[in-house]
Amino acid sequence: MTHLQAGLSPETLEKARLELNENPDTLHQDIQEVRDMVITRPDIGFLRTDDAFILRFLRARKFHHFEAFRLLAQYFEYRQQNLDMFKSFKATDPGIKQALKDGFPGGLANLDHYGRKILVLFAANWDQSRYTLVDILRAILLSLEAMIEDPELQVNGFVLIIDWSNFTFKQASKLTPSMLRLAIEGLQDSFPARFGGIHFVNQPWYIHALYTVIRPFLKEKTRKRVFQVMHSASPHYSNTSSDVINLCCEKLVKENLRNNCESFVTKRKHLIFCLFIYLFIYLFIYFH
């Protein structure tokens, strides 16, 4: 074990070896191989290339050197392309502060039985009059930056639960394709975190329709890890994350169950209508 693995428990060390292909004997060589690729992207300002920093990208990509480097490059490229997001990237920034205050994100004290950190978002908590969706994204990224310093979480990763109870159509109308693309690029393509599952709880029909639109733009691995849950009794949900159920569902679902009284025909019409609207908006923004 090298000093770079000093923060890992024996169990996590073994997990890193088996699941991430992490080898203490070649660790410094692995890091150097990624660092040597930096010169291939002179268009990007790599503000950090120290061992500990590069290691988190290797862990996020299971020690595939090129994939780790590509993620490292995208991390800094995303920040270069969205300078306004990172100008005042600290907890005291008014927008970030308000979003954090409203629980974007919230984190449970207990880890799941895989050692993953459970992050919880109550979507309806968003107060549009005080901060924007970009502020929420910034708050999430800032929180992840702090949490990913923990080597245990670099290996074990995160589980994200989004409770859509009482999230209004007016709020959902702000989830524009450009905003969603910004979030996908920032979290899926440009951040060195391992997400073991993303669980949608109690989503209304318009969120289901929106997910249908953006699903093709998600990576296959991400698509497989998104679970949509209407009720706490969902067998699919309990089979995939029974420990998350035990820790979260009594608070997230049982207290926030919505009365689903729309007919199937009405839902289907709403879904198709919303699907076409969001698809039209996305194509308009993408090609302009």
Side-chain angles (χ1 to χ4, degrees):
M1 183 177 75
T2 73
H3 71 281
L4 291 169
Q5 297 177 307
L8 300 179
S9 67
E11 295 78 16
T12 307
L13 273 172
E14 183 66 4
K15 182 177 183 178
R17 184 182 71 84
L18 294 175
E19 294 186 16
L20 306 185
N21 306 306
E22 185 168 327
N23 184 347
D25 297 331
T26 61
L27 197 55
H28 289 283
Q29 180 183 338
D30 293 328
I31 291 170
Q32 190 58 46
E33 288 200 27
V34 173
R35 188 183 289 118
D36 288 344
M37 297 182 197
V38 167
I39 62 171
T40 66
R41 292 296 305 271
D43 56 311
I44 297 175
F46 292 87
L47 303 181
R48 280 189 67 180
T49 56
D50 55 275
D51 288 358
F53 189 70
I54 290 178
L55 178 56
R56 66 186 64 171
F57 291 86
L58 280 163
R59 285 171 170 162
R61 291 297 181 263
K62 296 187 176 181
F63 278 76
H64 295 297
H65 297 157
F66 180 73
E67 291 299 320
F69 170 70
R70 185 161 66 174
L71 180 61
L72 176 68
Q74 289 171 332
Y75 174 90
F76 286 114
E77 188 174 31
Y78 182 78
R79 280 149 180 75
Q80 284 182 193
Q81 292 174 347
N82 302 284
L83 290 174
D84 289 343
M85 282 182 61
F86 299 96
K87 273 184 181 175
S88 178
F89 194 53
K90 51 190 177 181
T92 55
D93 175 84
I96 293 178
K97 185 177 180 180
Q98 291 293 344
L100 290 172
K101 226 171 144 183
D102 284 352
F104 294 105
L108 298 189
N110 296 316
L111 305 175
D112 72 3
H113 71 274
Y114 294 111
R116 301 177 299 194
K117 182 72 174 178
I118 302 171
L119 304 178
V120 183
L121 303 179
F122 289 94
N125 283 358
W126 174 33
D127 186 343
Q128 300 176 65
S129 67
R130 293 187 298 141
Y131 52 92
T132 67
L133 277 171
V134 174
D135 290 325
I136 292 177
L137 177 58
R138 294 167 72 220
I140 293 171
L141 287 171
L142 182 64
S143 300
L144 286 172
E145 288 283 2
M147 289 184 282
I148 207 63
E149 293 285 340
D150 184 348
E152 288 279 327
L153 294 181
Q154 291 174 21
V155 175
N156 293 322
F158 301 85
V159 173
L160 177 61
I161 299 175
I162 305 176
D163 184 4
W164 297 99
S165 299
N166 303 314
F167 190 71
T168 66
F169 188 85
K170 181 181 178 182
Q171 288 173 308
S173 67
K174 302 295 183 181
L175 298 173
T176 61
S178 58
M179 180 63 230
L180 292 169
R181 184 170 59 185
L182 187 69
I184 291 169
E185 289 173 354
L187 295 169
Q188 173 187 258
D189 302 329
S190 309
F191 196 84
R194 305 182 67 218
F195 284 95
I198 303 171
H199 301 267
F200 286 4
V201 180
N202 294 324
Q203 69 275 19
W205 60 266
Y206 36 88
I207 294 301
H208 180 79
L210 180 59
Y211 177 70
T212 302
V213 173
I214 67 170
R215 190 176 185 275
F217 302 97
L218 299 176
K219 292 179 179 178
E220 179 64 23
K221 184 183 289 187
T222 303
R223 290 201 296 266
K224 289 179 178 178
R225 291 175 179 173
V226 174
F227 306 103
Q228 300 190 68
V229 189
M230 292 306 296
H231 302 287
S232 61
S234 167
H236 175 68
Y237 188 65
S238 60
N239 288 338
T240 54
S241 282
S242 59
D243 54 322
V244 175
I245 284 284
N246 293 334
L247 289 171
C248 304
C249 273
E250 289 186 4
K251 294 179 181 178
L252 290 177
V253 183
K254 290 181 181 177
E255 294 177 5
N256 295 284
L257 284 177
R258 304 186 65 180
N259 182 21
N260 184 8
C261 59
E262 293 181 305
S263 69
F264 173 77
V265 174
T266 304
K267 280 186 181 179
R268 186 173 61 182
K269 288 179 180 178
H270 285 161
L271 287 172
I272 294 172
F273 175 72
C274 194
L275 176 62
F276 277 110
I277 288 178
Y278 274 108
L279 185 57
F280 173 78
I281 294 172
Y282 180 86
L283 292 173
F284 179 82
I285 292 174
Y286 186 81
F287 289 107
H288 289 75

